[in-house]
Amino acid sequence: MGGLLAVVRPLSAFNRIILKIGRGIGVVAIGLMVLAILIQVVFRYVLNNALPWPDEAARFCMLWMTGLMAPTAFRRGGFVAIDMLAIALPRIAGQLLTLFLLLMSLLVLVFAVKIGWSEVTGFGGKFATASLYLPTSAAFDEFFRVPRSWMMLSLLLGVIMLTIVNVELILRSIISMLGGEDDLPQIEFIKIGGAD
């Protein structure tokens, strides 16, 4: 069990740091998404002149927010789950069921990484977005269309981070079954609100 703890401690520290950075970027993406939507509302309903780019920009930000926030939710048990069976079973049987489900999740995530990689590097990633342009000069007189692969990269990165979190959760599950749950590093939770 000492070997497993020697692997899970640095992996847990790595996930804590990377996921914190991802949450920060995800919060910025949410803010930019809201800003793009508000700009579109003002231009469409107040000025009666809808812009072509805010809808796609909002989707772009939403994808990046999802890809960067989902691993944190998974690590903290924030995904919707039906865990009545695991709770109703005896302790070891419940832990074995949890481990089995985590291993099945790992299998799905590995296939998702392959699919995500092909989306970013394959034929579909070579297209550009319909209306997202970035300036290529300081004078804002030259622009290029944002590649679709930049959008799909958010999902690939999210699936890779979910896979790393899944490996940590598998190791934690094995250590817990072996009786070392008290030796595991704690998973931090964001405290919302004032008093305890």
Side-chain angles (χ1 to χ4, degrees):
M1 185 169 49
L4 290 175
L5 284 169
V7 172
V8 83
R9 284 186 179 128
L11 184 58
S12 180
F14 173 80
N15 281 339
R16 185 178 62 251
I17 293 166
I18 293 299
L19 296 181
K20 185 174 185 176
I21 293 167
R23 286 190 306 273
I25 297 170
V27 166
V28 171
I30 291 171
L32 292 173
M33 179 180 70
V34 169
L35 181 64
I37 292 168
L38 290 175
I39 288 170
Q40 183 67 322
V41 166
V42 168
F43 273 81
R44 177 172 289 174
Y45 297 110
V46 176
L47 302 176
N48 201 23
N49 185 15
L51 297 173
W53 60 266
D55 294 336
E56 196 162 17
R59 277 192 302 276
F60 187 89
C61 292
M62 182 183 63
L63 285 172
W64 274 98
M65 179 272 306
T66 302
L68 295 170
M69 296 287 209
T72 295
F74 183 45
R75 186 171 188 243
R76 295 178 178 176
F79 283 0
V80 174
I82 301 172
D83 56 2
M84 295 179 301
L85 181 59
I87 292 171
L89 290 171
R91 183 179 157 275
I92 295 296
Q95 289 176 330
L96 283 170
L97 177 61
T98 299
L99 179 60
F100 173 75
L101 294 173
L102 285 170
L103 289 169
M104 291 298 102
S105 297
L106 181 60
L107 184 65
V108 170
L109 288 169
V110 167
F111 280 111
V113 168
K114 288 181 180 180
I115 292 168
W117 182 257
S118 67
E119 283 293 320
V120 171
T121 61
F123 180 71
K126 297 189 185 331
F127 294 104
T129 56
S131 60
L132 282 182
Y133 292 86
L134 289 178
T136 58
S137 69
F140 292 98
D141 57 350
E142 297 176 26
F143 295 88
F144 85 100
R145 286 171 53 185
V146 173
R148 181 179 174 270
S149 60
W150 290 11
M151 201 177 285
M152 300 312 292
L153 181 62
S154 65
L155 299 177
L156 174 62
L157 185 61
V159 171
I160 289 170
M161 290 175 16
L162 281 167
T163 304
I164 295 169
V165 166
N166 190 294
V167 169
E168 178 191 356
L169 295 176
I170 288 170
L171 293 173
R172 285 176 171 276
S173 180
I174 293 169
I175 291 169
S176 293
M177 283 193 307
L178 296 174
E181 189 170 0
D182 294 337
D183 298 326
L184 288 170
Q186 294 295 314
I187 294 177
E188 70 289 341
F189 290 91
I190 298 173
K191 185 176 158 188
I192 299 174
D196 289 333

